[in-house]
Amino acid sequence: MRHLLSIADLDRSDLESLLNLTDRFVEVSRRPIRNVPALRGRTVVSLFFEDSTRTRLSFETAAKRLGADVMTFSVGTSSVKKGESLRDTVETISAFGIDAIVVRHASSGVPSTIRRWTSAAILNGGDGWHQHPTQALLDSYTIRSHFGSLDGLRIAIVGDIKHSRVARSDVQAFTKLGAEVVLVAPPTLLPPSLEGWPVTVSHDLDAVVGTIDVCYLLRMQRERMVEALVPSLREYAQRFGLSPERADRLGERAIIMHPGPMNRGVEISPEAADRPNAVVTEQVANGVAVRQAALFRLLGTESQLESLEPKGTS
Ligand code: NCD
């Protein structure tokens, strides 16, 4: 694996091998000293053209825990403000001698495009509506840690599918790992065509909520909506929000997920978000280990895997 651009590029065994590698970094994270020198001397740049809390901090934490140097590029204070092109920006950063770029951009395809202008490995931190592969990996990891496997699980992804790179990536990862996915949304929040999506669709959350193992709520992405796609947020919350009453109807083992940032009171009620079976902060915690696995897979070597073994064992 040279880059991590899209879940579409990975098959089931690639996904499983990344999740198994994540297990090792979760084990490392439980030690008193959480840092391992697996990527010492390597440099990782985070290049975020779009807002982010979780993804950027998580990637930077992951790189630092692997002993890599981290360069943070803040678009707001850079020459991008003076009109520097994407290509010049990437070529300039590359001239410093770097090993990986984590990129987030509002346009689909940017991570793939910039490959041509650098020899660094590219990790997609979210591109437009297209892909967010590490989110899908951390979501798959979180589900696997609760159920042992995704095989045969029924997962509902609820809400603003149309604008969601998380939904696109999750559908691919979950189904490759053996789960069944049902999309739950009003027609206006679904993509115009679902051809090639291995999913079923429902417009009725009440009909679905009692039948699922995972209830995955998506943020209403108002920044991407050019027109009003729902009559009002209140009405949306009434029909598609996870209210306490709906959360009560989930199966005993079912979990509630959200990629963050949550709009409490819109797609999820504050009370449902704070239930013990809501695993949103677990998703964030697993995100660091997943990104360590991704960075290590692209930049590390087999022999460095040994540095992960606890001292005094083996
Ligand atoms: C998501 C994103 O930016 O794609 N957030 C995240 O990375 N955790 C989802 C969102 O913004 O709704």
Side-chain angles (χ1 to χ4, degrees), residues 116-136:
R116 289 184 268 139
W117 305 322
T118 176
S119 58
I122 309 296
L123 295 103
N124 184 357
D127 62 328
W129 305 358
H130 179 225
Q131 277 280 322
H132 192 352
T134 55
Q135 181 71 44

Side-chain angles (χ1 to χ4, degrees), residues 50-52 54-55 104 125-126 128 132 135 164-166 218-219 221 223-224 258-261 291:
E50 236 193 14
D51 296 342
S52 168
R54 273 152 283 268
T55 306
R104 169 172 284 195
H132 192 352
Q135 181 71 44
S164 178
R165 54 194 173 210
V166 175
L218 294 169
R219 185 173 66 88
Q221 298 179 60
E223 78 278 18
R224 300 192 199 281
H258 192 297
R291 289 169 178 125

